[in-house]
Amino acid sequence: MADNDLRLTIVEHLGELRKRLIIAAIAIIAGSLASYNYVDKIIEILVRPADGLEFIYLSPPELFISYIKISLVVGIVVSAPIVLFQIWMFIRPGLKEKEQRYVLFAMFMGIVFLVMGVVFAYFIIIPMTIQFFVKMTVNGIEPLFSFANYISYISSILISFGVVFELPLIVILLTQLGLATPATFKKHRKMVILGIFVVSAILTPPDVVSQSMMALPMIVLYEFSIVIANMIYKRKKIDA
């Protein structure tokens, strides 16, 4: 009887997972199709940091494939609230009330920090790096950018900065859950900074400028995270 109950529970969980995955997939497909209808306006926004530059495409399908990639990425972004809600609905029954609050906080702040990272990269990092590379031209050699390569470049920058801006959230959660203290983060500061430069080299395009542009904000974010973690730690000690 116990085996039957266990088997039924597993089947129910798999059925629930399948339902959530289907809804998430439909949301992404719908978002991508809707994004394709506005791909021209989206491209206008994407090329704005490269003001004054002209783009080319090197093969017949290159531009179309770039349109598809842009639509898919934007579709994933606009459907993210629905996808996150499906994740929340799937894991909520297995969480305690306190854990539910932590997960909701993490999801909300994760979106906030992600948007902050993307905005920072779009308005500051991308224009600075493009201007730097354009100024490196010499007489007789004019900058001519492939549209597909440009999209790949800015996509890697935007995604990378969106991810690394999650660092404060990770530090806050570790402190809130009692898995680390501000003293721990201070003690391992040198190792973390070394790791930041390694991560920057992996996530960004292979040039020193982009890597430095990512590493420096990450170091600032880490120091900011320590300050926030210290405030949380003191509050927990007072409440205790």
Side-chain angles (χ1 to χ4, degrees):
M1 186 69 178
D3 291 341
N4 291 335
D5 291 342
L6 178 60
R7 192 178 299 111
L8 182 60
T9 302
I10 294 175
V11 171
E12 289 175 346
H13 276 79
L14 291 175
E16 180 70 11
L17 177 61
R18 179 174 175 270
K19 174 185 173 182
R20 300 302 172 189
L21 289 175
I22 290 174
I23 295 175
I26 292 173
I28 292 174
I29 293 172
S32 299
L33 292 175
S35 300
Y36 188 80
N37 291 329
Y38 299 95
V39 70
D40 291 336
K41 294 182 179 180
I42 295 171
I43 289 175
E44 289 180 9
I45 297 173
L46 293 177
V47 301
R48 199 169 293 162
D51 185 34
L53 297 181
E54 294 185 359
F55 298 98
I56 61 172
Y57 59 95
L58 305 177
S59 63
E62 182 178 297
L63 190 61
F64 176 72
I65 293 174
S66 297
Y67 280 21
I68 296 298
K69 289 180 179 179
I70 292 170
S71 301
L72 181 59
V73 171
V74 175
I76 293 173
V77 172
V78 298
S79 63
I82 298 176
V83 174
L84 289 174
F85 180 73
Q86 298 308 311
I87 295 173
W88 166 247
M89 292 299 292
F90 180 73
I91 65 175
R92 186 182 65 173
L95 299 175
K96 299 178 181 178
E97 184 178 348
K98 187 176 182 180
E99 293 172 337
Q100 290 182 11
R101 291 199 301 268
Y102 286 154
V103 172
L104 281 175
F105 170 79
M107 285 185 172
F108 175 76
M109 293 306 299
I111 294 174
V112 172
F113 283 119
L114 179 68
V115 171
M116 288 173 59
V118 170
V119 170
F120 178 78
Y122 178 82
F123 286 102
I124 298 178
I125 301 300
I126 292 176
M128 288 178 62
T129 54
I130 289 177
Q131 289 301 317
F132 173 82
F133 292 128
V134 169
K135 289 179 181 178
M136 291 181 65
T137 57
V138 296
N139 291 333
I141 303 177
E142 296 296 329
L144 199 60
F145 291 84
S146 162
F147 181 73
N149 289 336
Y150 171 77
I151 292 299
S152 296
Y153 175 77
I154 67 168
S155 296
S156 63
I157 294 292
L158 292 174
I159 294 172
S160 299
F161 273 85
V163 171
V164 301
F165 265 62
E166 302 293 330
L167 181 61
L169 176 61
I170 295 173
V171 173
I172 291 170
L173 285 177
L174 290 175
T175 305
Q176 186 66 48
L177 295 172
L179 300 176
T181 65
T184 305
F185 299 121
K186 293 176 183 177
K187 179 181 178 181
H188 299 288
R189 180 184 277 117
K190 292 182 179 179
M191 291 298 297
V192 171
I193 292 176
L194 176 61
I196 284 173
F197 278 97
V198 172
V199 171
S200 299
I202 294 173
L203 293 179
T204 58
D207 61 85
V208 177
V209 176
S210 299
Q211 293 167 9
S212 300
M213 287 291 188
M214 174 172 287
L216 294 178
M218 285 182 70
I219 294 173
V220 173
L221 283 172
Y222 185 72
E223 296 298 332
F224 171 74
S225 302
I226 293 176
V227 174
I228 300 299
N230 193 50
M231 295 171 58
I232 294 174
Y233 186 70
K234 288 181 178 179
R235 190 195 66 188
K236 289 182 67 177
K237 289 182 67 176
I238 293 174
D239 294 341

